[in-house]
Structures are given as C-alpha cells and as structure tokens.
C-alpha cells in the first residue's frame, strides 16, 4: 500500500475532493454523524491517506494540538476489518514525529474504536463524553 502525506496546500483539488467524499461517506452516511466537517482544522493539518481506483480508501489528518502533542482525527477506512486501518495508524505513528514536534499523539476515540487504538499502543486517559452525539474517550500514545 502506498501512503501519501501532504499538507493542505500540497493537496490537489481531486485529492481534497476524494478526502471529503470519503469522510462524508463514513461519518455522515455510515455513522449518521451530523456536524460541519469543514471546521478549519484541515488548513493546518497533514493529511495521510491511500488511494485505490481513484478513491481515498484510508485517511486521517494530524495537526499540532499543543507544544508537545499532535492530535489525529477523521480516521477512516472505506472497507473495515481488512488491516488497512492498522497500516494507516502504523504509518501515522512512524511519520508524525518526523513532521511535527511531539512527545505524544492524542486521539478522541469513538467508543467502538477504543480496542483498535489500544492495539496501536494508545492508552485511555479520560472518561466517556459525548461529541457530535457519539460516545468518545481521550487516548494518548507516548512517542
């Protein structure tokens, strides 16, 4: 699998369109999350993704959250339970420290994804809370 890592300004129009298309397919259509996806954070993010047949099939964004922390979000794969998510996270965990100053990576994990993130080395650091009507818990991976 080939992974693409680009800042917002490096994305082509087609790549940006396909990223937004895949995010809409997963978060709006599949998970029924009603929120404004274009939240302004994409501008300051690195976008890590892979494409198959012209579609973004796996994706996440990462940005400097505070002085020593990078936050990842909008994590998705179009096909589930095939190992692609693990490959995406392995790539992100390897590449993020090369791109940004960080001692830890933070994710606001949906409740059903906590086990996945734990397998990637993240630890739960908060109780449950609602975000966009979905239960989440904060998780941290120390670099």
């Amino acid at each position: 699998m080939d992974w693409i890592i680009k800042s917002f300004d490096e994305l082509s129009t087609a790549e940006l369109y396909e990223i937004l298309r895949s995010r809409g397919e997963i978060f709006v259509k599949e998970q029924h999350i009603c929120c404004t996806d274009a939240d302004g954070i994409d501008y300051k993010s690195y976008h890590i993704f892979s494409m198959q047949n012209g579609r973004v099939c796996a994706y996440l964004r990462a940005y400097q959250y505070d002085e020593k922390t990078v936050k990842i979000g909008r994590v998705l794969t179009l096909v589930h339970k095939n190992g692609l998510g693990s490959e995406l996270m392995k790539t992100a965990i390897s590449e993020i420290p090369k791109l940004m100053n960080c001692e830890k990576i933070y994710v606001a994990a949906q409740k059903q994804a906590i086990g996945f993130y734990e397998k990637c080395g993240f630890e739960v650091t908060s109780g449950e809370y609602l975000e966009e009507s979905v239960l989440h818990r904060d998780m941290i991976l120390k670099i």
Side-chain angles (χ1 to χ4, degrees):
M1 183 67 55
D2 292 328
W3 295 100
I4 301 164
I5 303 173
K6 293 185 175 183
S7 68
F8 183 84
D9 290 336
E10 295 171 322
L11 293 171
S12 71
T13 305
E15 288 169 333
L16 179 58
Y17 179 88
E18 290 302 328
I19 287 167
L20 295 173
R21 181 177 174 200
S22 292
R23 286 178 7 185
E25 188 170 317
I26 296 300
F27 300 117
V28 177
K29 188 175 179 185
E30 181 181 300
Q31 296 182 0
H32 309 289
I33 297 172
C34 183
C35 69
T36 302
D37 186 36
D39 58 5
I41 293 173
D42 290 318
Y43 290 119
K44 64 180 183 177
S45 297
Y46 279 96
H47 304 269
I48 302 174
F49 59 101
S50 185
M51 297 189 76
Q52 288 182 325
N53 302 318
R55 291 290 317 270
V56 169
C57 60
Y59 170 84
L60 64 75
R61 70 180 183 186
Y63 63 96
Q64 200 73 46
Y65 185 68
D66 65 27
E67 191 175 301
K68 298 184 188 266
T69 308
V70 168
K71 183 174 181 179
I72 61 171
R74 303 293 200 266
V75 181
L76 68 87
T77 58
L78 291 184
V79 178
H80 309 300
K81 310 258 186 234
N82 66 355
L84 192 55
S86 295
E87 286 183 48
L88 171 63
M89 290 304 300
K90 183 178 177 182
T91 299
I93 290 165
S94 169
E95 296 301 317
I96 285 172
K98 298 173 190 175
L99 299 167
M100 293 174 273
N101 180 37
C102 68
E103 294 177 3
K104 55 189 172 183
I105 299 173
Y106 159 67
V107 63
Q110 292 183 5
K111 184 177 179 179
Q112 77 273 6
I114 289 171
F116 166 75
Y117 289 113
E118 286 175 330
K119 288 178 186 173
C120 296
F122 287 79
E123 296 179 7
V124 173
T125 60
S126 77
E128 290 182 354
Y129 60 90
L130 279 177
E131 184 175 308
E132 304 299 344
S133 302
V134 177
L135 284 174
H136 285 71
R137 294 184 82 179
D138 292 340
M139 301 185 78
I140 296 287
L141 171 72
K142 293 180 182 171
I143 304 295

